Each structure stands twice: as structure tokens, then as C-alpha cells.
Amino acid sequence: MLTMAQLLAPLHEHRTNEVVVTTMSAARPWGRLSSHALDFASVDSAMGHGADLALGIALARPERRVICLNGDGSMLMTLGTLATAVGARATNLIIVVCDNGRFETTGNQPVAGAGRVDYAAVARAAGFPSVHRFDDARAYAEALPGILRAAGPTLVHVVLKPGQEGPIIRGPAEDAPYLRTSLAESAEMLRAALRV
Amino acid sequence: MKSAGPRAAAKSATTTATKTLRTLTASGITHLVGLPDSLSAPLFDAAVGHPVLRLITVTREGEAFAIATGLWIGGASPLVVVQNTGLLESGDAIRGTVLRIGAPIPILVTGRGYERMRAADVDPAQTPTPELLARVDVDSVAVLTERTLDAWGIAYRTCEGADDPVEAILDAIDGAREREQPLALVMARALE
């Protein structure tokens, strides 16, 4: 199992000009590491739809990779998105499923099928050409640069230790800058960064 | 006098769908995102392999609103097409993406149950009751469609009977852009 830090640090190191969409327990830790103009937190938004937002951005901007740091609970809510991404040929979409088996931000209640659902296998069956599963930090860090270059859609299933991130409430009390603005303001900032 | 027959009806629907696609591309719509029903099927059929407009078929309607919002963030100009049943399914997706972000996305809602509602002499503005929603001669989704849009604060227009569906869709697109907010068009008639 990896810690959230072991997942995010290599991604932060290798990230260049990709859009990064975060959700749930990954949102705050990523915002502590990164203050990139192409970061966007799908927080205070719609349950389970972070990967859909990322898919939409990826389809609008085929020249740029879009990485979604999705929760396992969020992924379970919209598994159909995997079929949609394949059907839409979103070759620049990378979905990272942060599988801690828990609804961490509500107090670590187990998700349905915790520890038993193989998200990599689900993605492969849905037609994802680039699928990876990691429960070892070194193997993940070594493979990541190649994963970021591969033609997708890509799904990376990372088995994580549960953390202790509590609920996120957008506003000045959040330490990550991209969580201090409203969702609408964040969307406008991302549009500006994408020169829309 | 001979009846027009199913072949003529299909040709008419295709013509309307083709006109609609031409209007969509002329007005800058880049993506059609949604799920077909029997009313919108000609539009989806015509959009397959279209040289300009990209068709994104989703697995559940809530996806369509979040994907469309992402498309708008990325600089595209999507049209969402869902049946009214799918609109009701999409509640949190609409609230948390299109409305929360204020994405000016036009939404074409095809209206299942409107003909039966009219035949049953039910006013769409009538307050729903458990008895009304359970009536065998009424499709409850039609009763709830406009009231749900009202509750969610989504402006909408309707296209019925003699209205030109292509003009109505164009008006909805223009309306969403002028208001800088989502705007729904309830298509309470067939697209033929």
C-alpha cells in the first residue's frame, strides 16, 4: 500500500502542462503540494462526477493531457464513465483511482466492495488500452513517467492506506489556495489558464 | 388519399435532424452530449460520424451535464440532449456542475408523456398529488418535468405542436449564451 504522499509526490515531480482535476481526499494534499494554474478541485460540486468533468476538459483540449485524481467511492458512483471515455476516444485522459477503501472525508466508512474491486480490471474490460495497478511505491514511481506519455484513456489503480482528511469546505480557512475560491471562480481561473 | 407511411415519416425526421445539425454547427455548437430516446433518435443517428459536430453518448444522463461543463471549461460549446426522465435522474449533477459553475449550456429535453398528459387533460402547471402521479392514463415524468426545472431555477422554454423545432433549438442556444446560464428547451412534440 502507498500513502497519499507517495502517490502525489512523483506525480508532482513529473507533471508538466497537464490539467489536474482532484476530488475528495486527494484534493487538499494535492493543493498543499501544487499551486499550478492548471489545477482544478472538483470539490463542492457534484457527487462522483469529477472524472466526467475531467473527461469533458480532455475532449475539449485534445492537445493536452488531463489527469483526474479520483476517489474509489467517486469512481464507483460513475463506473459508466469508463465506457463513455472509451467511446469518446479520450486518448489524453488519465484517471487515477485513489483506492483507500474508505469514504475518508466523512470519517473512513468502508466503500462498497472495499478491498475487493479491481478497478484496473474493470477499466480493461471497458476497453481502456492503458491500465495499471500499484500497491508498491517504488514500482509506481518508476512506471509513472511512461504512464504519463502513453496513449489512453489510461486508468491507474493505486492501493492506498486510509488517511485522515476531513470534510473540505471551500473558503479562506482552507490552506490549499485552489480551495479558497468558489467552484465558479475556480472554473473561470482554469478557463483563463487554458486561454479560453 | 394515401397515408404518408413510415418511410415518409422517417425521411421527414431525417430532414429535421439534418436541418437541426446544420443549425447547431452554424451556431458554433461543437459537441452533442447525451442519450437518445425515440424523439431525439433521428438527431443522434444523423450526428454519427458528423465531420464537425462530435457526438458523445453517455451511459447515464448525469454524466452528460458534468462532461458538458468540462467541455465548456475547456473552451468547447456543447449541447446536452436528454429525455425528461434522464433530466430527473441528473439532479445532483446539474446542481453541482452546470448550476454551481454557471456554465451557459443549452439543454434539449425531449418530453416523454406530454401527449398522454394532454389527452388526460392534465395541466403541466397543476400541483402533483400522489393520486395524479399514480394515474394509469398519466405519465408522471411529464407532470414533474417543468415543475422540477422551476425548482432547480433553470429557465426553460417549450416547443409544442406547430412550433418549429429547429428555430426553438436555436433560440435556446442563443438564450443560454445571452443569459450566461443554462437554459432548457422542453421538446413536447416529435422531431418529425
Side-chain angles (χ1 to χ4, degrees):
Chain A
M1 283 188 182
L2 284 73
T3 63
M4 182 62 82
Q6 288 172 324
L7 166 65
L8 298 185
L11 184 59
H12 183 242
E13 179 188 345
H14 294 288
R15 185 262 189 100
T16 54
N17 65 347
E18 300 89 347
V19 175
V20 176
V21 176
T22 65
T23 66
M24 306 310 287
S25 60
R28 195 182 275 127
W30 180 256
R32 292 186 189 118
L33 270 182
S34 171
S35 57
H36 200 293
L38 295 176
D39 291 337
F40 181 80
S42 181
V43 167
D44 187 24
S45 57
M47 283 191 303
H49 286 291
D52 293 319
L53 267 171
L55 172 58
I57 298 169
L59 294 173
R61 306 305 291 249
E63 80 286 2
R64 189 183 292 274
R65 280 190 165 74
V66 178
I67 301 168
C68 177
L69 294 171
N70 210 16
D72 48 353
S74 299
M75 193 74 256
L76 286 171
M77 288 184 186
T78 53
L79 282 174
T81 298
L82 301 177
T84 305
V86 169
R89 297 183 184 86
T91 57
N92 56 332
L93 177 68
I94 301 170
I95 298 175
V96 180
V97 179
C98 305
D99 175 14
N100 61 9
R102 300 286 185 272
F103 293 112
E104 184 174 322
T105 60
T106 58
N108 275 323
Q109 298 82 11
V111 303
R116 296 184 180 183
V117 179
D118 185 340
Y119 296 95
V122 173
R124 189 176 295 112
F128 271 55
S130 174
V131 173
H132 311 269
R133 183 178 185 278
F134 298 102
D135 57 11
D136 177 77
R138 178 178 291 181
Y140 160 74
E142 287 175 358
L144 186 61
I147 291 170
L148 295 177
R149 289 193 300 269
T154 295
L155 186 132
V156 185
H157 175 184
V158 182
V159 182
L160 293 177
K161 294 175 184 169
Q164 295 296 330
E165 291 294 341
I168 303 170
I169 300 171
R170 283 182 174 274
E174 286 290 343
D175 53 1
Y178 78 157
L179 293 172
R180 293 184 194 141
T181 54
S182 73
L183 189 67
E185 289 166 333
S186 294
E188 285 299 340
M189 290 162 66
L190 179 55
R191 280 167 61 83
L194 288 168
R195 302 184 192 284
V196 172
Chain B
M1 191 173 177
K2 278 187 178 176
S3 157
R7 183 171 294 182
K11 186 178 178 186
S12 170
T14 302
T15 303
T16 302
T18 305
K19 276 186 199 168
T20 302
L21 287 186
R22 202 178 303 133
T23 301
L24 295 181
T25 52
S27 62
I29 294 293
T30 56
H31 295 74
L32 193 158
V33 190
L35 267 177
D37 70 350
S38 56
L39 295 180
S40 63
L43 193 59
F44 281 80
D45 288 342
V48 173
H50 193 277
V52 177
L53 190 76
R54 275 205 69 184
L55 174 64
I56 311 296
T57 304
V58 299
T59 65
R60 200 77 172 109
E61 288 84 349
E63 276 178 46
F65 292 93
I67 291 170
T69 302
L71 282 162
W72 175 77
I73 289 173
S77 183
L79 169 72
V80 170
V81 183
V82 295
Q83 194 185 59
N84 47 355
T85 49
L87 178 81
L88 300 193
E89 187 276 333
S90 304
D92 189 59
I94 292 173
R95 179 206 60 77
T97 60
V98 175
L99 290 174
R100 196 76 174 134
I101 289 176
I105 293 170
I107 307 160
L108 174 58
V109 182
T110 46
R112 195 186 89 180
Y114 272 75
E115 286 185 14
R116 291 180 70 193
M117 186 166 64
R118 279 191 287 268
D121 202 23
V122 173
D123 181 350
Q126 183 177 333
T127 301
T129 62
E131 291 76 21
L132 175 60
L133 296 176
R135 271 172 54 174
V136 69
D137 61 335
V138 173
D139 188 336
S140 58
V141 66
V143 176
L144 293 170
T145 298
E146 293 174 41
R147 298 186 69 86
T148 301
L149 288 166
D150 283 330
W152 289 344
I154 299 177
Y156 66 90
R157 297 164 185 176
T158 57
C159 178
E160 302 185 68
D163 298 338
D164 180 343
V166 180
E167 282 298 317
I169 292 168
L170 184 59
D171 284 347
I173 294 166
D174 290 344
R177 288 174 180 163
E178 285 165 13
R179 296 166 55 89
E180 298 185 335
Q181 288 291 326
L183 192 145
L185 172 67
V186 180
M187 186 65 71
R189 51 154 290 173
L191 278 169
E192 292 87 2

